[in-house]
């Protein structure tokens, strides 16, 4: 009998902790958000400055951040659209666009403009 492996389930019922570092690497804030939610939305809800020139649709590159985590499953995967936006806007492709990221586990983020 051929059984299919169930798709990887993410636990969306828990909260995840986000730590924010400024350009110098100093902690400036931390907050909790619902696992699986959009990072950009929660940064804005927290009242922190984050790029928003395209209103969070992933085309301006202004919300680019550095994600620091040892867990490759902590954040949604970068797709070609996101990578192309980073390239077109002369941003590092290892950075992420907060508006296109969903967070599944605790992580630290850093931005040059904090
Ligand atoms: S707000 Fe424009 S790319 Fe994220």
């Amino acid at each position: 009998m051929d059984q299919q492996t169930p798709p990887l389930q993410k636990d969306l019922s828990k909260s995840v902790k986000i730590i924010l570092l400024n350009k110098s690497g100093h902690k400036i804030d931390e907050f909790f958000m619902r696992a699986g939610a959009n990072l950009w939305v929660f940064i804005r809800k927290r009242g922190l400055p984050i790029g928003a020139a395209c209103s969070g649709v992933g085309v301006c590159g202004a919300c680019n951040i550095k994600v620091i985590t040892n867990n490759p499953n902590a954040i949604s995967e970068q797709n070609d659209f996101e990578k192309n936006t980073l390239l077109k806007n002369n941003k590092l492709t290892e950075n992420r666009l907060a508006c296109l990221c969903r967070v599944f586990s605790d992580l630290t983020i850093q931005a040059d403009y904090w």
Side-chain angles (χ1 to χ4, degrees):
M1 185 186 306
D2 190 23
Q3 290 188 329
Q4 286 188 318
T5 304
L8 178 65
Q9 297 293 313
K10 308 271 188 191
D11 184 358
L12 303 180
S13 63
K14 65 175 186 173
S15 290
V16 296
K17 181 176 169 181
I18 308 297
I19 295 173
L20 295 92
L21 306 180
N22 67 11
K23 184 177 182 176
S24 304
H26 295 110
K27 180 177 166 181
I28 58 168
D29 198 8
E30 70 177 44
F31 63 88
F32 288 87
M33 59 181 274
R34 185 172 42 83
N38 180 285
L39 180 58
W40 183 80
V41 169
F42 273 83
I43 293 171
R44 288 173 57 90
K45 277 185 181 175
R46 186 74 178 171
L48 295 161
I50 182 93
C54 70
S55 301
V57 296
V59 297
C60 73
C63 67
N64 81 96
I65 53 166
K66 179 179 181 181
V67 173
I68 303 165
T69 178
N70 291 325
N71 179 358
N73 297 317
I75 196 161
S76 54
E77 286 185 33
Q78 186 183 63
N79 60 23
D80 289 342
F81 176 77
E82 181 180 354
K83 186 172 268 187
N84 285 336
T85 296
L86 289 162
L87 282 169
K88 279 188 236 170
N89 290 284
N90 299 315
K91 309 296 184 192
L92 298 172
T93 54
E94 55 266 26
N95 279 3
R96 299 299 307 271
L97 296 175
C99 69
L100 298 182
C101 290
R102 296 194 309 142
V103 180
F104 303 106
S105 188
D106 298 352
L107 53 77
T108 299
I109 58 176
Q110 185 176 26
D112 288 346
Y113 43 87
W114 288 334

